[in-house]
Amino acid sequence: MKHRITNDTHLLDTIHRGEWKHRDSWRALRILSEFVEGFDTLADLEPAVSVFGSARTKPGTADYELGERLGAALAKAGLGVITGGGPGAMEAANRGAREAGGVSIGLGIELPFEQKLNDYIDIGLDFRYFFVRKTMFVKYSQAFCVLPGGYGTMDELFEALTLVQTKKVTRFPVVLLGVDFWSGLIDWLRDRMLHTTKISEPDLDLLLLTDDVDEAVAHVVKECAFLRDVDTGKADV
């Protein structure tokens, strides 16, 4: 299968270095336009949660049904659902949110292979650059819920944890759904990273691991309530 050359590929290209001086300054304007479009489109978004998970998750599987239940529960709690807009677990969360009467948002990305936004999105944006898209996930979310996934899911998970650990964002809950899937990772974080003092005990507390959608949403709602109080000057901080 022939793959397209994406804008990210051109930006990060290390072969045609001679073109950087002539093209990157103009490319910066395209990057700026993506930030502006994202900010304008999402500025009035209600409190929302970003849900990540594998694009390879198949409808009818336990992971897909978990995504649907999570999306619906978040919507019923008054929270918008933001995903990467693709198929699989992303589609499941968007579908659950929409069918429960919530706001369903998809932030797509240009990939070397064809992928369109799924059919359960109310507000959709397509991005050329991963780092612009990542900014939107964090800026307009009050929590991350992470379903079983692959490299992309791990990328988003650890970027969120790094931002919280370094205080770039505050009171930002991160929930892992799927105890069987994620337990090995938690064990490794504790037995390797923590044991060798690469992280500290409070860093492990940044994650909630659960199979219970109601527990996940209750945890998120508790933290989101705190954030709304901060916005209105009610919180004791």
Side-chain angles (χ1 to χ4, degrees):
M1 181 175 63
K2 185 176 180 180
H3 288 175
R4 294 178 297 161
I5 304 299
T6 68
N7 285 272
D8 264 332
T9 304
H10 286 303
L11 176 65
L12 302 174
D13 177 28
T14 59
I15 298 175
H16 304 96
R17 295 174 64 91
E19 299 178 2
W20 289 358
K21 182 176 181 181
H22 304 290
R23 294 190 177 183
D24 280 0
S25 296
W26 291 105
R27 189 170 283 123
L29 295 177
R30 178 177 286 178
I31 293 168
L32 176 62
S33 73
E34 289 210 341
F35 276 113
V36 171
E37 182 181 11
F39 294 156
D40 283 349
T41 301
L42 302 174
D44 296 322
L45 189 66
E46 64 185 52
V49 173
S50 285
V51 177
F52 299 104
S54 177
R56 303 182 186 189
T57 299
K58 301 299 183 184
T61 62
D63 286 348
Y64 190 96
E65 292 171 0
L66 179 63
E68 284 188 281
R69 289 191 285 113
L70 175 63
L74 289 168
K76 290 174 183 177
L79 294 161
V81 173
I82 304 174
T83 78
M90 295 173 282
E91 176 186 286
N94 286 133
R95 180 175 185 172
R98 174 183 271 190
E99 292 181 352
V103 178
S104 175
I105 304 101
L107 307 181
I109 185 69
E110 180 186 49
L111 294 172
F113 45 88
E114 293 291 339
Q115 180 173 295
K116 66 181 183 69
L117 294 176
N118 66 65
D119 295 329
Y120 301 97
I121 290 170
D122 302 311
I123 301 170
L125 288 168
D126 276 308
F127 293 91
R128 296 183 178 94
Y129 300 100
F130 265 108
F131 58 89
V132 181
R133 180 183 184 235
K134 286 181 176 182
T135 300
M136 302 303 156
F137 279 132
V138 176
K139 182 175 178 62
Y140 296 103
S141 296
Q142 293 184 292
F144 279 0
C145 288
V146 189
L147 298 162
Y151 284 167
T153 303
M154 295 285 279
D155 175 49
E156 299 293 356
L157 167 61
F158 280 101
E159 182 157 29
L161 291 174
T162 302
L163 290 171
V164 178
Q165 183 196 50
T166 57
K167 309 301 183 185
K168 295 296 184 182
V169 295
T170 57
R171 301 289 297 219
F172 194 91
V174 180
V175 181
L176 300 178
L177 287 109
V179 171
D180 184 61
F181 184 87
W182 294 112
S183 288
L185 174 64
I186 299 299
D187 291 343
W188 185 83
L189 293 176
R190 183 184 60 252
D191 298 341
R192 298 299 181 188
M193 282 192 177
L194 181 61
H195 182 70
T196 58
T197 68
K198 303 301 187 293
I199 60 174
S200 58
E201 192 72 43
D203 294 329
L204 283 180
D205 295 335
L206 299 177
L207 288 163
L208 172 68
L209 174 62
T210 184
D211 282 325
D212 189 333
V213 167
D214 291 335
E215 180 184 8
V217 174
H219 179 69
V220 167
V221 168
K222 177 183 175 183
E223 298 298 321
C224 290
F226 172 88
L227 289 172
R228 283 195 291 271
D229 287 344
V230 170
D231 291 339
T232 57
K234 297 176 183 178
D236 183 15
V237 293

